[in-house]
Amino acid sequence: MSDAAALPGQPRGLVESGPATARAVNVLAPNPSAMTLDGTNTWLLSEPGSGLAVVVDPGPLDEGHLRHVIDTAEKLGKRVALTLLTHGHPDHAEGAGRFAELTGTAVRALDPALRLGDEGLGAGDVVTVGGLELRVVPTPGHTSDSLSFHLPADRAVLTGDTILGRGTTMVAHPDGRLGDYLDSLRRLRSLTVDDGVHTVLPGHGPVLEDAQGAVEFYLAHRASRLAQVETAVEAGHRTAADVVAHVYADVDRSLWPAAELSVRAQLEYLREHGLT
Ligand SMILES: [Zn+2]
């Protein structure tokens, strides 16, 4: 879920279903909105030559979409062998139970309440299916259960809602926390600097080919919003709603409820750091 439409200077690429990297195919869910951009990207991942595939984020409970994901795999000569979730928001996870039923797969996620099957998922785990390797990178902040998946063979990372293909994301206070989110962005930056990751495969919006640039943009955007919130508080804007109206005046009003959660996260961060 996003808290802002495309910002000046940001790419406005098209989102299309289809191959994004050698190992990743996007099946776009039919749930576009101000919060979900073009819709949820359901990622189908597979090692070339392997008959097995992993699905990341089946998306909303939409029978047509879930069946389309399975058909897409079959057309590529693949069988879905495992389902992973980046986090529990319904636009990513609501269809997971039904998808697991249709495919007979386990669902692995950080939050035990989202899992189907015996295996959990957490920091440092390496998921291997048909020769495909995914490394689990905890990236809390958007939500406490947010994970990213590093796909080293394609120098890519699947970011869920931690980094989007367009605009910026929300910190879903009180579950999401700004301090965690900033640490997660720095963790992703180190993947781009130290591990050669070039490509962001986001949960919504187009694929980004300059992963480091995207992370730097997110860090700069967060710092600038935080400074604006701090200034607004100093100027006497006390409630979260009041701060939103002041700081997010440039953002479509349909996104203000999401922005208010982000502001609450920022006010908490400022309090915890003794800045207000
Ligand atoms: Zn989300």
Side-chain angles (χ1 to χ4, degrees):
M1 298 202 279
S2 82
D3 82 353
L7 299 169
Q10 275 208 301
R12 284 175 178 267
L14 288 173
V15 183
E16 290 179 61
S17 295
T21 66
R23 290 165 182 79
V25 170
N26 179 23
V27 185
L28 181 63
N31 61 337
S33 73
M35 294 294 289
T36 60
L37 306 179
D38 315 75
T40 301
N41 295 330
T42 294
W43 290 105
L44 186 63
L45 307 175
S46 182
E47 192 66 15
S50 159
L52 299 179
V54 176
V55 165
V56 176
D57 291 347
L61 184 50
D62 178 309
E63 187 78 10
H65 173 64
L66 300 178
R67 289 187 182 273
H68 183 44
V69 174
I70 295 167
D71 289 348
T72 303
E74 282 173 359
K75 281 190 188 127
L76 295 168
K78 319 268 186 190
R79 180 174 62 79
V80 180
L82 180 65
T83 304
L84 303 177
L85 297 177
T86 59
H87 65 300
H89 277 157
D91 55 323
H92 295 256
E94 187 190 40
R98 177 63 179 146
F99 189 71
E101 238 172 57
L102 290 170
T103 54
T105 58
V107 177
R108 296 180 66 182
L110 181 65
D111 181 352
L114 298 169
R115 294 174 192 160
L116 289 169
D118 299 328
E119 285 187 287
L121 200 60
D125 284 353
V126 178
V127 175
T128 312
V129 172
L132 181 88
E133 183 190 293
L134 285 175
R135 298 180 191 162
V136 178
V137 183
T139 45
H142 169 69
T143 58
S144 61
D145 72 333
S146 287
L147 298 175
S148 294
F149 300 110
H150 178 199
L151 175 55
D154 282 353
R155 307 177 82 172
V157 62
L158 291 93
T159 52
D161 283 356
T162 299
I163 292 183
L164 303 179
R166 196 184 305 125
T168 58
T169 198
M170 66 182 283
V171 177
H173 179 85
D175 179 49
R177 297 172 59 89
L178 181 60
D180 288 346
Y181 184 66
L182 296 174
D183 288 344
S184 292
L185 289 179
R186 292 182 197 111
R187 196 167 294 133
L188 290 173
R189 179 165 59 188
S190 111
L191 275 187
T192 69
V193 173
D194 304 328
D195 298 285
V197 165
H198 285 181
T199 305
V200 172
L201 304 173
H204 304 276
V207 169
L208 300 175
E209 297 297 352
D210 176 10
Q212 189 182 344
V215 177
E216 300 289 3
F217 167 78
Y218 268 60
L219 281 164
H221 173 76
R222 274 291 137 233
S224 131
R225 278 286 189 233
L226 192 61
Q228 286 177 299
V229 169
E230 199 176 351
T231 304
V233 170
E234 281 166 7
H237 300 279
R238 288 292 163 194
T239 69
D242 195 12
V243 171
V244 168
H246 187 72
V247 172
Y248 287 76
D250 60 327
V251 169
D252 192 277
R253 273 176 177 258
S254 68
L255 297 167
W256 280 16
E260 189 168 325
L261 299 184
S262 287
V263 164
R264 288 181 190 280
Q266 292 175 86
L267 293 173
E268 176 191 69
Y269 181 89
L270 291 170
R271 268 196 310 276
E272 285 173 357
H273 289 75
L275 298 170
T276 57

